[in-house]
Amino acid sequence: MTTAAAPLVRQHIAGAWVDSRNGRTYESLDPWSGEVVAVVSAGDQDDARAAIEAADRAFAGWSRSLPHERQSVLLRAADIVQRRRGEILTLLARETGCTRYFGDVQLDFALSLLRQSAALPYAADGQLIPSDRPGTRSMAVRRPVGVVGAIAPWNAALALTGRAIVGPLALGNTVVLKPSQEAPACGALWAEVFEEAGLPPGVLNVVTHAPGEASLIGDELIANPLVRRLSFTGSTATGRRLAEAAGRHLKRILLQLGGQNPLIVLDGVDLDHAAEAAAYGAFVHQGQVCLCARRIFVERSIADAFLERFAAKVSSLPLGNPLDPRTVIGPVINRWALSTIGRRVEEAVAAGARIVAGGTAAPPCYPATVLTDVPEDIELAFDETFGPIVVVTVVEDREEAVARANASGFGLAAAVLAADSVQGLEVARRIDAGIVHVNDQPVNDEPQMPFGGTRDSGWGRFGVGFVAEDFTELQWVTTRDTPRTYPF
């Protein structure tokens, strides 16, 4: 296939757009059409090292910049994203198969993130602490850490890349971004936006890599002593490897990992609303969102009525080209993902599961699929399947629903649909997850919220009001106006 018309995505290092030092490139493909979206520089550890050194050089100036200077850059970046909205929606569709519905969600999140984060430079960065030593003033002061390594995923490439870089930048850090091999143009987009917004050279650097070569960049981010913090959003398996490696270097890492998220449906709910909520929560962006409902537990008394409505709703979801604004279910990200989804469904059916909606691949798409009677010992039941698949399980009562919801190593998000919020809160407080929504589905995020999970879903919290915990150092400082008396 010709690549003559495809744009070149280069690396952004020290304020310049540069080819990889090894001269290699790869093609980023549209998951719907298979066309070449971009020809991408395939960087390695040498490029990562250059980006880290550029970020380190830029840190002194950026960390001492005045609050209004940082705020102005962030607000100008928001205006640029707003101006380029149509172009960005098209890029998200072509690079990641993102439909208009989820594209709008990402755009609105990014705009809110930038505008809210513009207040961070003015946030109080310390506190006075009473001291028992006469004449001593004691303070706890937050300072930017230095270079932050940000490893971002493809599935919500605009929103989650923005989340990885905007908070650290607002706090006075510099950043080296490694976007996913599946979404390099979205990573480069953020560099373009901030360059136009007036961010000084070297404050944000972007290093791209070829498929299968993420470790060339990731290993350098972990091992290089100039990198003081890391953030990673992605799979639990990769997050565990990164955490182990970061631990050897005593380097803190913020991890937002996978989820096998439960949605509990209790007797007394509006079943039509429950079916609508469950369909959105399970199938937005083809189920390729870490927050998506993977397991639905419904009380037996309403199970048949709920399942009838839910299957009908799911079967009606339009499937096809993500550039068509009517499409709800677009393509999955690549052939490997399509194969994995199909294999897991076939395995479940062979073990006795029943398909009540979907279940037959329509390459490059997989339709929204609902299964019941899924045995607990197969992959679909206990491991995250990143695609448009959800398992419905009938439970006797809310006690069993909570027990089944907690019978997982994951703890990212959960939701409870109940007759009233009091009933829902009583169930929600017993669910072991970092995020729980009552009378809503689990796919929710706002930039100011403490976003993160427990157990195998990671540690630490994103969120405008919470990122300082991970991306600043807390320093104890004392001052005295008079000499102190010493015992010897």
Side-chain angles (χ1 to χ4, degrees):
M1 179 178 296
T2 179
T3 61
L8 177 64
V9 171
R10 306 171 81 193
Q11 303 183 105
H12 192 65
I13 300 175
W17 294 96
V18 297
D19 296 327
S20 60
R21 280 156 172 73
N22 58 37
R24 295 189 298 122
T25 61
Y26 76 98
E27 295 177 342
S28 177
L29 303 181
D30 182 328
W32 168 255
S33 67
E35 296 175 350
V36 177
V37 176
V39 177
V40 185
S41 293
D44 57 25
Q45 63 270 24
D46 292 333
D47 302 277
R49 192 174 303 115
I52 292 166
E53 291 169 356
D56 183 61
R57 291 191 300 271
F59 173 67
W62 182 244
S63 63
R64 291 195 295 266
S65 60
L66 296 176
H68 82 88
E69 294 173 320
R70 277 179 272 154
Q71 182 180 73
S72 296
V73 169
L74 293 166
L75 292 176
R76 285 195 296 268
D79 292 341
I80 294 164
V81 170
Q82 180 64 61
R83 189 186 76 231
R84 298 179 65 177
R85 186 181 189 102
E87 171 195 346
I88 293 172
L89 288 170
T90 298
L91 174 63
L92 289 170
R94 294 202 64 216
E95 188 166 62
T96 67
C98 178
T99 66
R100 181 61 179 264
Y101 298 99
F102 193 57
D104 284 334
V105 168
Q106 290 196 66
L107 255 298
D108 291 341
F109 180 93
L111 290 169
S112 182
L113 172 68
L114 288 163
R115 290 166 179 158
Q116 288 194 44
S117 297
L120 277 177
Y122 286 99
D125 60 2
Q127 65 183 102
L128 290 173
I129 305 172
S131 173
D132 283 328
R133 290 198 173 95
T136 297
R137 294 187 187 91
S138 190
M139 299 169 282
V141 180
R142 290 200 174 275
R143 309 181 345 164
V145 297
V147 180
V148 173
I151 302 175
W154 59 265
N155 60 315
L158 181 73
L160 298 188
T161 301
R163 189 182 69 179
I165 65 177
V166 171
L169 291 174
L171 291 166
N173 300 290
T174 56
V175 175
V176 175
L177 168 67
K178 188 204 81 63
S180 168
Q181 66 194 38
E182 304 285 359
C186 287
L189 169 71
W190 277 109
E192 292 175 7
V193 166
F194 274 112
E195 182 179 52
E196 183 180 346
L199 192 70
V203 176
L204 173 62
N205 305 270
V206 180
V207 182
T208 52
H209 62 86
E213 297 183 359
S215 62
L216 298 178
I217 313 300
D219 289 351
E220 184 65 29
L221 291 174
I222 290 170
N224 195 305
L226 296 178
V227 178
R228 301 296 300 276
R229 290 285 193 278
L230 292 164
S231 74
F232 171 77
T233 299
S235 73
T236 295
T238 301
R240 181 173 284 113
R241 290 194 296 270
L242 288 171
E244 291 171 350
R248 290 195 295 272
H249 295 274
L250 297 179
K251 191 168 295 187
R252 282 175 56 180
I253 181 170
L254 172 57
L255 296 172
Q256 194 266 288
L257 309 177
Q260 187 71 340
N261 310 305
L263 169 61
I264 296 174
V265 185
L266 300 177
D267 194 359
V269 300
D270 180 321
L271 292 177
D272 291 325
H273 172 261
E276 296 277 344
Y280 181 87
F283 301 117
V284 64
H285 195 32
Q286 298 80 263
Q288 298 173 127
V289 179
C290 59
L291 294 170
C292 278
R294 309 292 180 195
R295 302 173 294 153
I296 299 175
F297 300 104
V298 55
E299 288 191 284
R300 186 173 298 280
S301 56
I302 58 170
D304 289 343
F306 169 77
L307 197 57
E308 179 182 3
R309 289 168 172 80
F310 185 45
K313 174 65 179 180
V314 170
S315 298
S316 72
L317 299 178
L319 177 148
N321 188 340
L323 288 171
D324 185 336
R326 297 167 297 181
T327 297
V328 173
I329 307 296
V332 296
I333 189 62
N334 54 39
R335 293 178 181 177
W336 178 86
L338 186 67
S339 174
T340 299
I341 294 165
R343 176 182 60 78
R344 288 190 174 183
V345 171
E346 291 169 3
E347 178 189 49
V349 171
R354 181 167 61 96
I355 295 174
V356 297
T360 301
C365 302
Y366 202 94
T369 297
V370 181
L371 296 98
T372 61
D373 304 324
V374 175
E376 295 181 39
D377 60 347
I378 64 171
E379 283 181 294
L380 201 60
F382 64 80
D383 195 14
E384 181 181 42
T385 299
F386 219 58
I389 311 294
V390 71
V391 173
V392 176
T393 300
V394 178
V395 295
E396 296 300 328
D397 51 32
R398 66 192 62 178
E399 299 299 322
E400 183 184 355
V402 170
R404 297 287 290 271
N406 287 335
S408 169
F410 296 97
L412 181 55
V416 181
L417 297 175
D420 58 71
S421 60
V422 174
Q423 181 190 79
L425 283 170
E426 190 277 329
V427 172
R429 67 179 179 81
R430 297 156 57 196
I431 297 175
D432 190 355
I435 304 164
V436 185
H437 301 290
V438 174
N439 286 335
D440 200 349
Q441 45 72 48
V443 184
N444 281 285
D445 195 9
E446 296 181 65
Q448 73 274 25
M449 300 303 176
F451 188 100
T454 63
R455 299 179 289 162
D456 288 353
S457 293
W459 62 59
R461 292 295 182 270
F462 287 101
V464 172
F466 305 91
V467 290
E469 294 293 328
D470 284 287
F471 299 115
T472 60
E473 294 281 12
L474 192 60
Q475 185 180 51
W476 177 31
V477 179
T478 67
T479 65
R480 294 183 58 86
D481 294 328
T482 60
R484 178 179 168 184
T485 301
Y486 302 100
F488 61 86

